[in-house]
């Protein structure tokens, strides 16, 4: 007797199993390693500037090269997973991260470091969207936002750990040792992924993999009926003829894709300017580098808190509305900082809440993309949003160097950053009005237009 099993319904109808918790742990580790590698270079700029006798603004090209690599990695290597598999691309991405970071550790000039940072960026650009995708495809729909939020707390904590580690280890092992550590971690993570992480069951169904292979994976999530000739299906596959990239614009999804890209572009412009240059801006106020590193890390601690709260709310209220509100509140906070603060303690508190609203909303956008696209386009949808947005990150990282060189202080920069933050909130607000959300759908994975 032939038994058809809907993979999406199989996952959605069951409690989260220990096997799915393990997938969450591994993808969170991937995100943490990604976050550390993204942030580490910004904490090393003051030391590199001193050792190489170059102005801090000169390292804007190193940061920009890394972000350009992230964009290229997301736009090219990321969509490869919709053809070759999520796990395969994650392994490739982690290998590129390790090779590039080791290369940076043994660089002797800014040109060498720029080239190696670009290679690192290629890996960073491919790792995160594919980790997001594989977690989304193993998460029950009712818990998906919260689980992805937990994963992105790993990213924020990884980035924050770069700041805390810099404040503690930089004097002991120097920038060279910090970069070696940054290369060892993705190497270890790749070994764990290779040994333990499964390929996405949804992807295997899309690609027509043998039912026995899918059954072995799903049997670790819940009990399968035996004694039947099992066929695994996904309702969203009916009538689908387009490629993964074309799927970002089919079925009324084009406008939503553009709005996601605009919001993420603006959000990353703000995020990367702050994470890349906030330590240098704080040093400019007369604070020591150790204090600047710790205060800058508060941005990422705030991001972790904001991501968790928003993830919880997104499973209960319209997700896009929650993220849009985060950006709007973040813009108001940036204006408050731009008007001037009375104490360093107040700056610490404001940096924390800037992370809470702005970075929390930015991390939550990965959930919006993951639930917006169907399986055959999901990795491409997430990675293209991340890739397009990274050009905003490039503008923010390099623009911070230009503004620093022009003598802008921390107040003027925060005031200016309120504008793109507000634009991100407005773009998502319009998307919220235009599209139904995950809670309003009767079936399937595709978000429909009103």
């Amino acid at each position: 007797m032939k038994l058809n099993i809907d993979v999406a319904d199989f996952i959605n109808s069951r409690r989260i199993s220990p096997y799915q918790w393990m997938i969450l742990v591994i993808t969170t580790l991937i995100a943490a390693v990604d976050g550390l590698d993204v942030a580490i270079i910004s904490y090393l700029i003051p030391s590199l500037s001193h050792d190489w006798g170059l102005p801090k603004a000169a390292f804007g090209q190193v940061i920009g090269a890394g972000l350009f690599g992230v964009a290229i990695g997301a736009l090219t290597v990321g969509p490869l997973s919709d053809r070759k598999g999520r796990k395969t691309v994650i392994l490739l991405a982690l290998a590129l991260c390790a090779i590039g970071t080791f290369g940076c550790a043994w660089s002797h000039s800014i040109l060498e470091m720029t080239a190696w940072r670009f290679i690192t960026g290629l890996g960073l650009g491919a790792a995160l969207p594919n980790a997001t995708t594989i977690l989304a495809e193993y998460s029950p729909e009712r818990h998906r936002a919260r689980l992805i939020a937990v994963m992105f707390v790993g990213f924020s904590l990884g980035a924050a750990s770069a700041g805390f580690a810099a404040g503690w280890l930089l004097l002991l092992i120097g920038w060279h040792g910090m970069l070696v550590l940054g290369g060892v971690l993705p190497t270890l993570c790749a070994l764990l992924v290779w040994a333990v992480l499964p390929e996405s069951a949804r992807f295997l169904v899309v690609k027509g993999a043998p039912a026995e292979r899918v059954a072995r994976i799903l049997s670790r999530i819940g009990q399968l009926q035996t004694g039947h000739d099992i066929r695994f299906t996904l309702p969203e596959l009916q009538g689908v003829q387009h490629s993964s990239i074309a799927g970002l614009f089919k079925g009324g999804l084009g406008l939503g894709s553009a709005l996601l890209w605009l919001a993420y572009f603006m959000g990353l412009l703000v995020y990367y300017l702050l994470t890349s240059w906030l330590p240098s801006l704080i040093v400019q106020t007369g604070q020591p580098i150790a204090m600047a590193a710790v205060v800058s890390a508060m941005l990422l601690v705030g991001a972790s808190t904001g991501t968790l709260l928003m993830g919880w709310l997104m499973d209960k209220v319209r997700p896009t509305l929650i993220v849009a509100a985060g950006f709007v509140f973040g813009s108001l906070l940036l204006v408050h900082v731009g008007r001037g603060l009375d104490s360093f303690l107040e700056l610490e508190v404001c940096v924390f809440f800037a992370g809470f609203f702005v970075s929390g909303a930015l991390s939550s956008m990965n959930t919006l993309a993951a639930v917006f696209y169907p399986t055959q386009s999901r990795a491409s949808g997430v990675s293209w949003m991340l890739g397009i947005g990274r050009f905003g990150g490039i503008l923010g990282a390099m623009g911070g160097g230009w503004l620093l060189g022009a003598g802008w202080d921390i107040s003027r920069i925060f005031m200016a950053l309120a504008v793109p933050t507000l634009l991100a909130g407005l773009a998502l607000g319009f998307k919220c009005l235009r599209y139904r959300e995950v809670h309003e759908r009767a079936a399937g994975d595709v978000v429909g237009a009103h």
Side-chain angles (χ1 to χ4, degrees):
M1 178 180 177
K2 195 87 169 179
L3 177 65
N4 290 327
I5 295 179
D6 180 340
V7 174
D9 182 67
F10 183 89
I11 293 173
N12 289 333
S13 62
R14 285 163 172 77
R15 298 177 63 182
I16 301 175
S17 68
Y19 193 66
Q20 289 161 295
W21 286 120
M22 180 204 70
I23 293 170
L24 172 63
V25 170
I26 294 174
T27 53
T28 300
L29 288 174
I30 295 169
V33 169
D34 196 293
L36 186 144
D37 267 351
V38 164
I40 194 170
I41 198 72
S42 65
Y43 295 105
L44 306 182
I45 287 176
S47 297
L48 285 163
S49 174
H50 177 268
D51 288 358
W52 288 359
L54 295 170
K56 297 182 182 70
F59 289 89
Q61 70 181 67
V62 176
I63 296 173
L67 294 176
F68 186 67
V70 169
I72 299 301
L75 293 173
T76 57
V77 182
L80 182 66
S81 76
D82 280 326
R83 299 191 299 272
K84 300 298 183 181
R86 286 63 162 123
K87 180 175 179 177
T88 300
V89 173
I90 289 173
L91 288 170
L92 173 63
L94 291 171
L96 288 172
C97 289
I99 292 168
T101 307
F102 282 131
C104 286
W106 278 283
S107 295
H108 296 91
S109 70
I110 198 166
L111 184 61
E112 284 184 55
M113 184 168 283
T114 298
W116 284 115
R117 192 62 184 168
F118 174 78
I119 293 172
T120 304
L122 290 175
L124 296 173
L128 203 56
N130 285 286
T132 303
T133 298
I134 202 168
L135 177 60
E137 292 178 345
Y138 275 113
S139 299
E141 190 175 273
R142 65 191 180 278
H143 298 305
R144 187 177 290 160
R146 275 173 282 187
L147 294 179
I148 295 176
V150 170
M151 190 194 88
F152 273 87
V153 167
F155 179 88
S156 297
L157 292 179
S161 70
F164 291 119
W168 176 46
L169 292 175
L170 198 53
L171 294 177
L172 298 176
I173 62 177
W175 62 264
H176 174 85
M178 291 289 293
L179 287 170
V180 170
L181 178 62
V184 168
L185 293 177
T187 302
L188 296 176
C189 192
L191 292 173
L192 179 64
V193 169
W194 175 78
V196 180
L197 187 69
E199 182 54 87
S200 165
R202 291 188 185 220
F203 170 81
L204 293 175
V205 173
V206 168
K207 292 302 178 181
E212 294 78 10
R213 184 179 178 188
V214 180
R216 281 196 301 271
I217 296 173
L218 293 184
S219 64
R220 299 180 181 182
I221 294 175
Q223 186 174 1
L224 288 170
Q225 296 185 39
T226 58
H228 295 276
D229 182 10
I230 298 177
R231 176 176 175 266
F232 294 99
T233 64
L234 282 171
E236 66 201 71
L237 298 180
Q238 297 176 5
V240 173
Q241 300 295 330
H242 56 72
S243 67
S244 60
I245 300 298
L248 308 187
F249 307 97
K250 298 287 186 178
L253 300 182
L255 176 61
S257 294
L259 292 171
L260 286 172
W261 295 351
L262 174 61
Y264 206 70
F265 181 97
M266 293 299 175
L268 275 191
L269 186 156
V270 175
Y271 177 82
Y272 274 103
L273 193 150
L274 289 177
T275 56
S276 299
W277 296 105
L278 190 56
S280 297
L281 285 169
I282 294 175
V283 168
Q284 201 175 60
T285 66
Q287 296 295 326
I289 181 59
M291 181 63 72
V294 171
V295 173
S296 299
M298 294 300 293
L299 181 79
L300 300 158
V301 174
S304 301
T305 310
T307 301
L308 282 176
L309 179 60
M310 289 184 193
W312 179 76
L313 290 172
M314 287 167 70
D315 280 326
K316 299 181 178 297
V317 186
R318 297 191 70 178
T320 305
L321 179 63
I322 296 299
V323 182
F327 278 123
V328 172
F329 282 121
S331 69
L332 296 175
L333 180 68
L334 292 171
V335 168
H336 175 69
V337 176
R339 295 176 63 185
L341 301 175
D342 296 327
S343 68
F344 191 73
L345 176 60
E346 189 177 358
L347 175 62
E348 289 182 277
V349 173
C350 287
V351 165
F352 172 85
F353 280 105
F356 183 94
F357 288 115
V358 180
S359 299
L362 193 63
S363 296
S364 299
M365 284 196 65
N366 295 276
T367 303
L368 298 185
V371 301
F372 189 67
Y373 297 105
T375 297
Q376 62 272 19
S377 297
R378 183 169 291 121
S380 295
V382 175
S383 61
W384 270 61
M385 184 191 77
L386 295 179
I388 295 294
R390 284 307 193 268
F391 289 105
I394 293 168
L395 179 60
M398 299 187 74
W402 301 332
L403 296 178
L404 195 68
W408 281 45
D409 62 12
I410 193 170
S411 295
R412 291 179 68 188
I413 288 177
F414 268 67
M415 182 68 80
L417 291 179
V419 177
T421 306
L422 180 61
L423 289 174
L426 293 176
L428 292 180
F430 183 70
K431 178 181 177 292
C432 187
L433 294 174
R434 181 67 177 84
Y435 291 90
R436 295 194 301 270
E437 297 277 24
V438 62
H439 307 297
E440 302 170 35
R441 286 180 281 160
D445 283 301
V446 183
V447 180
H450 282 312

